[in-house]
Amino acid sequence: LGLVLVLFVVWELWWTNIEADRKQEAAMEQLFAEFEPVPGAPAAGAEPGGYGDPAVLPVPEAEGTTFAAIYIPRFGAEHARPVTQGVGTAVLDSLGLGHYPETAMPGEVGNFALAGHRQTHGQVLDAVDTLVPGDRIYVQTAQGYYTYVYRNSQIVLPDRVDVLAPVPTQPGAEPQERILTLTTCNPRFGSEERFISYAVLDSWQPASAGPPEEIAAVVSRNSAGQG
């Protein structure tokens, strides 16, 4: 029984990450194959602007559709993960971050809410507790790049579904901001609570403008099939 327990822990904390990383890399390759070629990065120090309201991608019809990539530099200079429609085990155990279907899409007024594992199946949100106010989180779709700025976090019980409301924790309120919410388990090796992180949209730029400077190198490598 002891050996079985050890093998289970090895599988859960090690092998599931290897399998998930492989599947996420394949999802990223397919996603970038569908995107237009990435133009050169903007000049250093260039400020995005003048692009009007953000373009909003239509909601994917099928669960399991990967429609975006997310970059969180605080997690490492090479950090890039797929964003896939749905939050079932088929998505979260294999394809990185899952999008709650009832929430907003990137750049849309409301709450663009994502879920991901913290210690297994790719550890996509393992370092979520290291985010500090002002950190940038980038989301890339076929339309362009959305820059969110991390604001704050909270720890709640699993039944607090109000964090997914258009105005998080305020069901029924009319949204005015474009929010990104990340949800994962807490503590790192448990699931008794949920760790919730919030960011607000700061800017957006169309794909034709090229990626924001901070993620230009990793976007270029992904686009070239080298990520």
Side-chain angles (χ1 to χ4, degrees):
L1 289 177
L3 178 60
V4 170
L5 180 60
V6 169
L7 290 174
F8 174 77
V9 171
V10 170
W11 173 81
E12 183 76 7
L13 297 181
W14 179 66
W15 184 251
T16 63
N17 290 326
I18 292 177
E19 287 186 321
D21 285 344
R22 186 184 303 121
K23 292 176 181 177
Q24 289 172 37
E25 288 176 4
M28 290 286 279
E29 289 178 4
Q30 181 176 351
L31 179 69
F32 274 84
E34 297 170 358
F35 286 174
E36 294 293 327
V38 176
E47 292 292 334
Y51 300 119
D53 290 336
V56 177
L57 189 74
V59 178
E61 295 182 0
E63 180 168 329
T65 301
T66 297
F67 63 87
I70 190 168
Y71 307 87
I72 307 179
R74 174 65 64 181
F75 295 177
E78 298 298 313
H79 179 274
R81 298 286 189 170
V83 177
T84 303
Q85 183 72 353
V87 291
T89 56
V91 171
L92 297 185
D93 288 359
S94 302
L95 294 172
L97 288 160
H99 172 237
Y100 289 94
E102 68 275 16
T103 68
M105 291 292 285
E108 187 176 6
V109 173
N111 186 7
F112 172 48
L114 306 176
H117 287 296
R118 195 167 180 186
Q119 269 296 304
T120 60
H121 300 284
Q123 299 177 305
V124 291
L125 290 177
D126 182 37
V128 69
D129 59 317
T130 67
L131 289 169
V132 298
D135 279 348
R136 280 170 165 71
I137 300 173
Y138 301 93
V139 177
Q140 178 187 9
T141 72
Q143 276 88 349
Y145 304 88
Y146 307 81
T147 301
Y148 292 86
V149 175
Y150 173 73
R151 177 183 285 174
N152 66 296
S153 65
Q154 66 178 147
I155 295 174
V156 302
L157 294 176
D159 61 357
R160 283 287 303 277
V161 296
D162 61 338
V163 300
L164 305 179
V167 179
T169 75
Q170 299 180 42
E174 186 69 23
Q176 303 296 325
E177 295 182 302
R178 296 169 168 91
I179 302 294
L180 166 64
T181 298
L182 303 176
T183 71
T184 191
C185 292
N186 192 70
R188 289 180 70 203
F189 293 96
S191 58
E192 295 86 359
E193 302 165 328
R194 297 292 180 266
F195 195 104
I196 315 297
S197 302
Y198 302 106
V200 62
L201 188 74
D202 179 67
S203 63
W204 96 283
Q205 57 200 76
S208 60
E213 182 182 355
E214 188 174 18
I215 60 168
V218 65
V219 170
S220 179
R221 282 190 288 273
N222 282 334
S223 180
Q226 299 174 7

